[in-house]
Amino acid sequence: MDEEYDVIVLGTGLKECIISGLLSVDGLKVLHMDRNDYYGGESSSLNLTKLWKRFKGNDSPPEHLGISKEYNVDMVPKFMMANGALVRVLIHTSVTKYLNFKAVDGSFVYNNGKIHKVPATDVEALKSNLMGLFEKRRARKFFIYVQDYEEEDAKSHEGLDLTKVTTREVISKYGLEDDTVDFIGHALALHRDDSYLDEPALDTVKRMKLYAESLARFQGGSPYIYPLYGLGELPQAFARLSAVYGGTYMLNKPECKVEFDESGKAYGVTSEGETAKCKKVVCDPSYLPEKVKKVGRVARAICIMKHPIPDTKDSHSVQIILPKKQLKRKSDMYVFCCSYAHNVAPKGKFIAFVSTEAETDKPEIELKPGIDLLGPVEETFFDIYDRYEPINNPEEDSCFLTNSYDASTHFETTVKDVLSLYNKITGKELDLSVDLNAASATEQEAA
């Protein structure tokens, strides 16, 4: 331990492991430590015995739920956009060789009490039962505009400068109804609130294009992919990557106290009487609680079932977004379902998650609209946890903290946080302009 490192990373959650892997690939000397004796931190995947112990207080789950080790239940369930930033990071780092992916069957949105497939193209808009006949035509024209839009081609802009014109103004040009705007903004562009309506439209158009491109990539029923054996595989894959490039890993290290010099800069980490020195420290909020502030809470239900979610075309894996307006809430609700098809449960078992930004202390009541969509449930576990964001200045203390995971069931916000942190640590942008069509490993394994 008594060595000097460029960076010491504390916690083996997904964000910390991605950062560790990226920095190791860059040639930095990295020491990665965790107080736990397992990888994943808050983003680990648990077998049934561990899940039962965590939420029920004992480790004796009923036999009818099946074999414990066949469960891999994500503590932070999220799907990856097939053409998104995380897949680009996986390809950039060649982590794909440690993982197998499978396309997610369905992407749905809750509207007026029913579940509908999210239309992402002009063809799907015409087929969608989300809209009436005239609204379908208007939506189709808008989708064609988005599909044809190219930043570098002024002819495709139809006279609109999307770096200045707001999303609200673009949408009003096409005369779309509020319910249509709702599913486009929240289930397709994946915005978490409505502030995007008064911001430049370019971001929303890019998000919609990403959704459509991801959907087209595997010709499946959704734009998402998900690793076999659950998300717990991801931190371990990035840990392997870091180790290949010389990173050192130490699990089960108690305390992990960050040491500061007189000027307040971090210079090392002490554990079990030994201090490893470093230039920079990266960690999750739990390691430096005095440098973060609480910004919210996430309420989540984990449900074990023996059937797919009704009205999702018997999908073995699915995301359903319940926009906040539909529920008269301040934030969206998310339903995530995976099953034995992804090797996260015994044959015939499905695992569904319902999550949202908590607005009360009663997740059982708050999550009911999402849970009601699931049909009969064999077992339910409720969880509520605090969300933190850093308040420190890394230039002053050399500490780079990740944000807590939000309630969304897709990875776009997670990767945004990682790429921002990478930029702050290294002073450079990560080049993710990989040729996704050439990335045959992910292509084949998700097919």
Side-chain angles (χ1 to χ4, degrees):
M1 253 249 333
D2 293 317
E3 284 186 56
E4 181 135 0
Y5 297 85
D6 292 311
V7 180
I8 295 179
V9 181
L10 301 178
T12 53
L14 178 61
K15 292 183 183 184
E16 292 74 36
C17 285
I18 296 176
I19 289 282
S20 175
L22 291 173
L23 297 178
S24 297
V25 169
D26 275 359
L28 298 182
K29 189 176 181 183
V30 177
L31 171 63
H32 202 147
M33 303 165 69
D34 196 318
R35 62 170 80 93
N36 298 313
D37 61 358
Y38 56 87
Y39 289 102
E42 290 303 307
S43 53
S44 58
S45 300
L46 305 183
N47 63 31
L48 186 60
T49 301
K50 286 181 178 173
L51 184 74
W52 207 264
K53 192 167 187 176
R54 175 164 173 171
F55 294 105
K56 304 284 188 182
N58 63 65
D59 53 7
S60 303
E63 287 184 14
H64 72 86
L65 292 178
I67 299 167
S68 171
K69 67 181 182 182
E70 292 184 357
Y71 282 89
N72 292 292
V73 183
D74 296 336
M75 291 298 96
V76 182
K78 290 181 187 286
F79 290 132
M80 294 174 222
M81 197 71 90
N83 237 34
L86 181 54
V87 169
R88 290 172 184 271
V89 169
L90 293 170
I91 294 166
H92 170 82
T93 55
S94 298
V95 165
T96 44
K97 64 189 172 193
Y98 303 123
L99 297 161
N100 291 313
F101 293 91
K102 193 173 170 65
V104 172
D105 295 337
S107 175
F108 294 83
V109 62
Y110 178 82
N111 182 274
N112 291 323
K114 292 182 179 178
I115 297 172
H116 304 266
K117 185 182 187 301
V118 178
T121 65
D122 58 311
V123 176
E124 289 187 343
L126 285 177
K127 293 178 184 174
S128 176
N129 55 4
L130 267 168
M131 301 168 281
L133 178 61
F134 295 112
E135 182 69 357
K136 282 180 182 180
R137 290 177 181 171
R138 289 188 287 266
R140 178 176 178 267
K141 285 181 183 175
F142 179 59
F143 281 131
I144 289 173
Y145 169 68
V146 170
Q147 284 160 217
D148 292 346
Y149 183 89
E150 296 294 339
E151 241 180 306
E152 310 303 321
D153 180 9
K155 290 178 185 173
S156 70
H157 297 183
E158 292 189 11
L160 298 173
D161 182 352
L162 297 194
T163 61
K164 294 175 182 171
V165 177
T166 66
T167 307
R168 192 186 300 277
E169 289 170 311
V170 174
I171 284 171
S172 69
K173 180 184 173 185
Y174 290 89
L176 300 179
E177 295 170 1
D178 285 350
D179 274 1
T180 307
V181 175
D182 212 26
F183 83 71
I184 286 173
H186 291 257
L188 220 152
L190 301 179
H191 289 293
R192 290 186 299 143
D193 57 44
D194 287 336
S195 59
Y196 75 94
L197 287 167
D198 298 306
E199 292 169 356
L202 184 58
D203 178 50
T204 296
V205 167
K206 281 183 174 179
R207 285 166 173 254
M208 290 177 67
K209 286 177 79 71
L210 171 63
Y211 190 104
E213 288 159 5
S214 296
L215 185 65
R217 206 165 158 215
F218 301 120
Q219 304 295 317
S222 87
Y224 304 108
I225 60 174
Y226 181 70
L228 296 181
Y229 302 101
L231 288 179
E233 294 294 295
L234 275 173
Q236 294 189 59
F238 278 100
R240 281 188 214 124
L241 172 75
S242 180
V244 165
Y245 282 88
T248 303
Y249 273 77
M250 294 182 180
L251 297 181
N252 206 16
K253 298 296 285 184
E255 295 177 21
C256 291
K257 180 175 178 283
V258 180
E259 302 288 355
F260 296 92
D261 63 21
E262 292 170 1
S263 68
K265 267 194 186 306
Y267 68 84
V269 175
T270 299
S271 178
E272 298 177 310
E274 292 182 293
T275 302
K277 293 186 176 174
C278 63
K279 299 182 184 80
K280 294 170 182 173
V281 170
V282 176
C283 64
D284 71 47
S286 70
Y287 285 88
L288 286 171
E290 71 279 8
K291 293 186 181 287
V292 296
K293 67 175 179 182
K294 180 179 166 183
V295 292
R297 293 185 307 159
V298 172
R300 176 169 293 133
I302 303 168
C303 304
I304 299 174
M305 314 181 300
K306 52 185 178 185
H307 58 84
I309 296 174
D311 304 317
T312 61
K313 301 177 181 174
D314 293 330
S315 297
H316 280 234
S317 51
V318 65
Q319 175 174 259
I320 308 167
I321 293 179
L322 292 76
K324 60 179 187 171
K325 274 186 189 170
Q326 297 291 324
L327 305 177
K328 296 181 171 58
R329 290 176 49 80
K330 294 176 189 168
S331 49
D332 294 351
M333 192 171 292
Y334 302 86
V335 175
F336 171 113
C337 182
C338 50
S339 72
Y340 62 93
H342 278 92
N343 299 346
V344 296
K347 188 156 181 61
K349 298 292 184 185
F350 293 73
I351 302 170
F353 303 80
V354 182
S355 55
T356 190
E357 187 72 17
E359 295 171 13
T360 72
D361 290 323
K362 297 177 179 174
E364 299 89 345
I365 297 171
E366 202 165 348
L367 296 169
K368 191 174 185 299
I371 293 172
D372 284 350
L373 299 177
L374 305 181
V377 170
E378 289 189 274
E379 196 63 55
T380 305
F381 309 86
F382 287 102
D383 187 21
I384 193 161
Y385 65 84
D386 294 334
R387 228 165 32 81
Y388 296 96
E389 287 180 359
I391 53 172
N392 67 309
N393 182 350
E395 290 181 12
E396 292 175 0
D397 60 14
S398 299
C399 295
F400 300 82
L401 284 81
T402 55
N403 295 328
S404 303
Y405 296 93
D406 62 32
S408 67
T409 47
H410 51 79
F411 263 115
E412 296 311 291
T413 51
T414 300
V415 183
K416 196 174 176 183
D417 185 27
V418 167
L419 296 180
S420 169
L421 218 54
Y422 175 84
N423 174 248
K424 288 175 186 171
I425 294 165
T426 64
K428 60 185 182 182
E429 300 285 337
L430 187 66
D431 180 13
L432 293 179
S433 57
V434 293
D435 180 1
L436 289 170
N437 293 324
S440 57
T442 317
E443 292 277 356
Q444 290 162 5
E445 281 146 15

